[in-house]
Amino acid sequence: MSPRIAVVPGSFDPPTRGHLDVIRRAAGLFDQLHVLVVHNPGKEAMLPIAQRQALLEQSIQEEGIEGDVIVAAWSMGLLVDYATDVGAQVLVKGIRSQVDVAYETPMAIVNRDLAHVETVFLLPDPSHALVSSSLVRQVAALGGDVSPYVPGPVARFLDTGARGL
């Protein structure tokens, strides 16, 4: 039987506790999980991709997320190209609301049409369901405490003056 491989893509700018919740649960569902930091051309990033990747790696380790979890970055080409390259049959997307479903559904259909890659939607824990990276960026930029919303490595990084990025 071939291994069940999935990809959790996202901009992770910055990674939130909701992201880690989805990653933890997806890691338990698949033999190998690729957490893929992607460039979103529709958003201006607060953190460089390499920094987001490092914060995810530190957060996954500190949170004790078990399983074969690989953190990588992808900035050129289609997401399904990466999935195909690593043998993934599934994309895992965390969704918080109907707005996310409406946004993600057309992409899921196109990804299935392009590369026969299915998309699985996971709902976050209700305590994380209303927190987005955009909201965390706003709170951090205005000097607020983001520690309830982000994993420890992200909170420490933002608290050390990285808010001005």
Side-chain angles (χ1 to χ4, degrees), residues 1-164:
M1 185 167 148
S2 60
R4 296 169 301 153
I5 302 171
V7 176
V8 178
S11 56
F12 303 107
D13 187 34
T16 67
R17 290 189 185 278
H19 291 135
L20 272 282
D21 176 55
V22 168
I23 291 166
R24 177 186 313 281
R25 288 186 295 117
L29 296 172
F30 297 95
D31 299 318
Q32 186 177 77
L33 186 68
H34 291 252
V35 178
L36 189 63
V37 181
V38 298
H39 168 69
N40 184 336
K43 296 179 182 176
E44 185 175 332
M46 176 179 78
L47 301 174
I49 286 180
Q51 185 65 58
R52 290 179 261 160
Q53 185 176 355
L55 288 170
L56 272 168
E57 289 169 344
Q58 293 165 19
S59 297
I60 288 167
Q61 180 179 2
E62 190 171 292
E63 294 282 323
I65 294 175
E66 296 180 2
D68 187 1
V69 180
I70 299 163
V71 180
W74 184 258
S75 60
M76 299 295 292
L78 297 171
L79 173 59
V80 291
D81 293 339
Y82 179 89
T84 301
D85 288 350
V86 299
Q89 305 86 9
V90 176
L91 301 175
V92 176
K93 302 281 192 101
I95 56 170
R96 296 173 310 237
S97 68
Q98 293 173 336
V99 172
D100 287 348
V101 173
Y103 178 79
E104 295 290 349
T105 298
M107 287 190 290
I109 292 168
V110 169
N111 287 333
R112 185 177 56 216
D113 288 345
L114 288 173
H116 306 289
V117 174
E118 293 292 342
T119 301
V120 172
F121 295 136
L122 288 181
L123 297 171
D125 183 278
S127 64
H128 307 304
L130 299 177
V131 178
S132 66
S133 291
S134 299
L135 181 60
V136 169
R137 286 194 304 272
Q138 288 176 334
V139 171
L142 295 171
D145 179 15
V146 297
S147 62
Y149 314 114
V150 297
V154 176
R156 290 189 296 274
F157 177 78
L158 293 175
D159 196 42
T160 60
R163 291 186 181 120

